[in-house]
């Protein structure tokens, strides 16, 4: 199948929205040291841009999970790289590129809660509702999108398109 990409969210719009999110996050965590945890690999661009907008003491860590496709039972997610910092007693903000079925975020959130974090909140670039299976509370969201296959700014299609500086929707070529 051939696809063409159509621009959905330009880079200036992403940058502006990240500034707004950073202001809201600073408001909530003022006076605290915050641990930002990015879910590899897609969240890398969003995490680094967001972190540089935050005027807070920040520590960074990363986590990676493998998911075995939407056709399988819940629980088909496994941890392939754990966090390295101790989150016990600390406020944690998970930073994710996209919430689709919700399986990844709910797994990661439960894992960090089980490690005794003071709080575990969630910040996503894209909340895409179309295939949601697990309800998850999203504390900070840059953009809500009903459906479509997205690439760019961390989002990939078979590892392609991830490094594009803006977000595109893939459309099937007839
Ligand atoms: C993608 C995306 C999210 C997850 C969202 O990751 O980056 O982590 O899927 O899907 P879900 O809500 O249905 O769980 P992927 O496993 O493709 O890894 P990547 O970030 O390395 O691209």
């Amino acid at each position: 199948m051939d696809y063409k990409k159509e621009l959905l969210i330009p880079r200036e719009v992403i940058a502006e929205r990240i500034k707004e999110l950073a202001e809201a996050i600073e408001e909530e965590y003022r006076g605290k040291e915050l641990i930002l945890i990015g879910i590899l690999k897609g969240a890398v661009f969003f995490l680094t841009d967001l972190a540089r907008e935050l005027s807070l003491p920040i520590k960074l860590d990363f986590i990676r999970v493998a998911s075995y496709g939407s056709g399988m039972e819940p629980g088909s997610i496994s941890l392939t790289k754990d966090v390295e910092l101790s989150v016990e007693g600390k406020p944690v903000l998970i930073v994710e590129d996209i919430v689709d079925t919700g399986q990844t975020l709910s797994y990661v959130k439960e894992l960090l809660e089980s490690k005794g974090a003071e709080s575990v909140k969630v910040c996503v670039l894209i909340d895409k509702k179309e295939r949601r299976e697990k309800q998850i509370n999203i504390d900070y969201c840059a953009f809500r999108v009903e459906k479509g296959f997205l690439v760019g700014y961390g989002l990939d299609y078979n590892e392609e398109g991830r490094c594009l500086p803006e977000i595109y929707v893939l459309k099937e070529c007839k």
Side-chain angles (χ1 to χ4, degrees), residues 21-36 50-59 91 93 140:
L21 288 180
E23 278 177 24
I25 293 167
E26 279 172 19
E27 190 69 30
E28 175 163 1
Y29 293 97
R30 186 157 293 134
K32 296 193 169 191
E33 182 184 77
L34 179 62
I35 302 184
L36 294 183
L50 178 67
R52 286 176 293 177
E53 288 295 337
L54 287 170
S55 300
L56 288 173
I58 295 286
K59 285 187 176 164
L93 184 63
Y140 299 96

Side-chain angles (χ1 to χ4, degrees), residues 1-4 171-174:
M1 195 81 70
D2 281 341
Y3 292 94
K4 63 179 170 38
K171 300 273 178 171
E172 248 176 64
C173 289
K174 301 263 181 227

Side-chain angles (χ1 to χ4, degrees), residues 101-114:
T101 66
Q103 299 284 359
T104 302
L105 262 179
S106 46
Y107 175 91
V108 170
K109 191 172 182 197
E110 267 180 38
L111 179 74
L112 295 169
E113 283 167 348
S114 75

